[in-house]
Amino acid sequence: MPRLAAGDVAPPFILPTSDGGEVALAAALAVPGRRGVVVYFYPAAMTPGCTTEACDFRDSLASLQGAGYAVVGVSPDGVDKLARFAERDLLTFPLASDADHAVADSYGAWGVRKLYGKDVTGIIRSTVVVAPDGTVALAQYNVKATGHVARLRKALRIG
């Protein structure tokens, strides 16, 4: 799938979450005062890089929410593994299961990437910020886990 760019219409989704519920992009965008939804794709719960990134989002959640942004983490992991991840690392934003990687594919976040020098097919660590009108405000692909949230906050002009 081609990657999304600013101005593209973000593909809608409804996915099961770690808390036994579900997250729908349309509902997340419909919250009054919402400036956008940060949808970030990560390869696997409870791995070192994904833990670093998730904890950075957790630690920045108050400022992101204060600026009007919701955060949704998406991985191909099942909801049981995501529930353990959320509990272990005290993650309070939705972790969504995209087991068939259909959403990741539609966002351009599924494909060939490097893992320890080898080509593997899977999630490409990516972040897409969706504006309230359902269009892409910002799309970043092949991001590094360490420091990504700080760079995102800078791009969104969140102090």
Side-chain angles (χ1 to χ4, degrees):
M1 265 320 261
R3 294 181 174 176
L4 297 175
D8 290 346
V9 174
F13 63 81
I14 300 173
L15 291 171
T17 57
S18 58
D19 63 2
E22 63 183 26
V23 61
L25 179 61
L29 290 171
V31 173
R34 177 81 16 106
R35 290 182 56 201
V37 175
V38 176
V39 182
Y40 84 95
F41 296 88
Y42 62 99
M46 296 195 277
T47 58
C50 296
T51 298
T52 295
E53 187 178 28
C55 289
D56 281 351
F57 271 111
R58 176 201 64 204
D59 295 345
S60 292
L61 191 60
S63 66
L64 287 164
Q65 289 175 334
Y69 294 94
V71 174
V72 177
V74 179
S75 82
D77 297 305
V79 292
D80 291 343
K81 185 175 182 184
L82 294 176
R84 291 192 307 274
F85 187 35
E87 182 178 351
R88 184 191 79 175
D89 293 300
L90 306 173
L91 306 174
T92 57
F93 53 87
L95 298 179
S97 174
D98 185 23
D100 64 1
H101 61 81
V103 174
D105 196 41
S106 71
Y107 274 70
W110 182 267
V112 177
R113 64 183 176 92
K114 292 284 186 191
L115 181 64
Y116 303 114
K118 295 183 181 181
D119 286 343
V120 297
T121 299
I123 292 282
I124 298 165
R125 191 179 307 277
S126 308
T127 298
V128 176
V129 180
V130 183
D133 66 358
T135 62
V136 174
L138 177 71
Q140 300 176 327
Y141 293 90
N142 290 310
V143 300
K144 300 229 182 290
T146 303
H148 169 59
V149 177
R151 289 186 297 276
L152 177 66
R153 288 168 44 120
K154 186 175 181 178
L156 296 173
R157 295 185 174 99
I158 298 171

